[in-house]
Amino acid sequence: MKIKAVRLHGVEDLRVDEFELPALGDDEILAEVVTDSICMSSHKLALQGEKHKRVRHKLAEEPIIVGHELCGTIKEVGSKWADKFKPGMRFTIQPALNYQGTQWAPGYSYRWVGGNATHVILPNEVMEMDCLLEAKADSFFVSSLAEPVSCVIGGFNAMYHTEQGSYEHKMGIVEGGSLALLASVGPMGLGAIDYAIHADRKPKRVVVTDIDQARLDRAASLLTVEDAAANGVELHYVNTGTVDDPVAHLIALNEGELYEDVIVFAPVRPVVEMGDALLAVDGCMNFFAGPTDTGFMATVNFYGVHYLNHHYVANSGGNNDDLVEALKLMGEGRLKPEVMVTHIGGLNAVPDTTVNLPKIPGGKKLIYTHKNLDLVGIDEFEARGATDPFYAELDRICKAHNGLWSKEAEDYLLENAPNI
């Protein structure tokens, strides 16, 4: 089968290639990809090339397909897996395979599978590790967002607390406690706010910070204080750039108390150090946002580590259980991953978008892999629609959904957008 895919050939060398997939093995699965959401991890991969810890090929000789937040449909199943998977099943994958102690992952390590492709071959280890999961949502894009949502869920699950005199770690945030989400109105931060409000295990109070008022206003309009209150959570949005003493201000919002849980969504030293200063006794801080700078450092109060039992964790992804939970909560309509999406594009837009991702404002960049579309912000649809009926209709649909991407918008795009 001849396919098109975006492959990494070297540092910042991403190309839309057309090539033949090999014959399907008995222990493999052929699948069609429909959507992929571009992750900051793919940007880091493009910057590092073969130095990235998950790359296992000489890229000039064996380029890899990039992208790992994918959803599509199974087309053909090798005999080994015919009793478990059927053609026509909609799927997503957990890319962190943890196969035989390796760090191999689709989107980083494989020639024939990655999210930015029209079709892929799923290797045996994806199924062996139970990382091929059925996507039951009625749209493709929602299930593409299951992987980033699972990373957020993993962040909450990685938090831990202890009791004095015991070495037992009690995993998860403090139920009914206080949670500070710092620099958290980017796409992953929005997912964290959504999860904190709507998951089973909730804090009593959530304080969200950033220094971009426009992004704070958008977050507050989509994940409202009123909805949080209806779910038993007191929610505050704070622009720390307008506050003389952010730490004192956040403590005051928490009734003069420090925070049991803090999650940091930007690899920025002052933000990390603010998180450290907010930790209560037995408090836990998750440094969620991974830096590209291998020498990144920030000051930690080791008095707090020794005498106040402060804990520090980090996670760069979720596991299978986290992905299953993400799919379940989204399937039940309890989470709104669509709030993460701000831009739509086709396969042709992937190379430039991936390399320049930090320079492009907004949230998630959603790719339709069979389509030839510029990367365009949802808030730009109206202007484009003045001369292009395609974008005029997308603008109408999105405005009918509170300015958000939706199944209706996806269906219209799949029917009317030009193919790659």
Side-chain angles (χ1 to χ4, degrees):
M1 172 183 284
K2 185 170 286 189
I3 73 161
K4 291 182 179 179
V6 176
R7 297 194 294 183
L8 183 66
H9 293 258
V11 173
E12 297 189 16
D13 185 1
L14 288 162
R15 310 175 197 171
V16 179
D17 294 330
E18 186 173 26
F19 56 93
E20 291 279 348
L21 286 179
L24 190 69
D26 291 340
D27 61 352
E28 297 174 329
I29 290 178
L30 175 68
E32 179 181 21
V33 180
V34 178
T35 53
D36 183 78
S37 173
I38 297 180
C39 178
M40 186 62 73
S41 296
S42 295
H43 167 72
K44 296 171 187 174
L45 167 68
L47 294 187
Q48 294 175 345
E50 290 175 11
K51 293 182 179 179
H52 195 282
K53 63 184 179 180
R54 294 189 185 274
V55 173
R56 59 181 175 134
H57 296 124
K58 293 291 185 183
L59 293 174
E61 301 170 5
E62 300 181 51
I64 56 173
I65 301 176
V66 299
H68 56 274
E69 299 178 0
L70 63 155
C71 182
T73 304
I74 290 176
K75 307 303 287 186
E76 185 178 344
V77 181
S79 58
K80 178 177 178 179
W81 300 107
D83 292 338
K84 188 171 182 179
F85 301 103
K86 302 297 181 185
M89 187 188 98
R90 193 172 290 187
F91 77 96
T92 188
I93 63 172
Q94 165 56 262
L97 305 180
N98 297 315
Y99 181 67
Q100 295 182 352
T102 70
Q103 297 195 53
W104 301 346
Y108 302 89
S109 317
Y110 289 92
R111 298 179 66 190
W112 315 124
V113 60
N116 290 301
T118 56
H119 296 79
V120 297
I121 292 178
L122 302 173
N124 177 67
E125 48 263 37
V126 172
M127 287 71 76
E128 285 280 3
M129 301 305 293
D130 292 325
C131 289
L132 177 59
L133 300 172
E134 185 174 5
K136 296 182 179 180
D138 63 358
S139 61
F140 289 97
F141 85 93
V142 165
S143 296
S144 262
L145 298 171
E147 197 279 336
V149 171
S150 78
C151 296
V152 168
I153 293 173
F156 279 68
N157 290 336
M159 311 289 278
Y160 73 93
H161 300 273
T162 61
E163 291 183 1
Q164 189 171 1
S166 171
Y167 298 114
E168 180 182 358
H169 289 185
K170 296 181 178 180
M171 304 307 296
I173 66 168
V174 173
E175 189 166 10
S178 54
L179 170 64
L181 302 174
L182 306 185
S184 62
V185 289
M188 302 304 281
L190 290 175
I193 301 165
D194 193 17
Y195 184 73
I197 295 170
H198 299 112
D200 293 331
R201 187 185 188 94
K202 298 183 181 71
K204 174 186 176 181
R205 180 176 294 114
V206 176
V207 176
V208 176
T209 78
D210 205 86
I211 57 173
D212 186 323
Q213 191 60 50
R215 296 211 307 174
L216 280 163
D217 291 343
R218 179 179 184 271
S221 71
L222 298 174
L223 299 163
T224 67
V225 170
E226 293 76 15
D227 179 50
N231 284 276
V233 177
E234 179 186 319
L235 176 62
H236 299 268
Y237 289 97
V238 178
N239 186 335
T240 51
T242 64
V243 178
D244 290 335
D245 188 340
V247 171
H249 184 77
L250 298 183
I251 291 172
L253 283 177
N254 196 35
E255 300 179 351
E257 301 292 333
L258 293 163
Y259 288 75
E260 285 97 344
D261 295 290
V262 176
I263 306 180
V264 175
F265 286 90
V268 177
R269 180 170 179 165
V271 179
V272 174
E273 293 176 351
M274 178 166 58
D276 180 70
L278 290 170
L279 285 178
V281 174
D282 192 46
C284 186
M285 184 172 80
N286 188 328
F287 179 53
F288 186 89
T292 56
D293 178 5
T294 58
F296 178 81
M297 294 184 183
T299 300
V300 169
N301 185 337
F302 275 86
Y303 181 92
V305 174
H306 192 90
Y307 290 107
L308 303 178
N309 205 21
H310 288 172
H311 316 300
Y312 302 87
V313 299
N315 70 294
S316 59
N319 61 23
N320 278 20
D321 291 339
D322 300 324
L323 187 55
V324 168
E325 182 180 354
L327 291 168
K328 176 179 180 292
L329 292 177
M330 291 191 302
E332 294 171 353
R334 292 168 61 184
L335 298 182
K336 300 192 296 183
E338 59 268 27
V339 303
M340 304 168 78
V341 178
T342 58
H343 291 69
I344 307 298
L347 193 67
N348 56 294
V350 171
D352 183 70
T353 301
T354 303
V355 170
N356 294 294
L357 193 57
K359 302 175 186 176
I360 306 173
K364 277 289 186 182
K365 282 65 182 177
L366 180 66
I367 299 299
Y368 285 86
T369 61
H370 287 261
K371 300 301 178 180
N372 185 10
L373 291 167
D374 294 340
L375 185 78
V376 179
I378 293 173
D379 61 359
E380 300 174 290
F381 286 174
E382 181 178 6
R384 287 231 173 184
T387 56
D388 188 333
F390 172 75
Y391 285 103
E393 181 60 13
L394 280 182
D395 180 56
R396 183 197 68 77
I397 294 170
C398 289
K399 284 178 177 174
H401 292 271
N402 195 28
L404 299 175
W405 197 245
S406 63
K407 180 182 185 303
E408 183 182 1
E410 176 173 276
D411 290 344
Y412 178 79
L413 181 147
L414 290 173
E415 181 69 25
N416 295 281
N419 291 328
I420 187 77

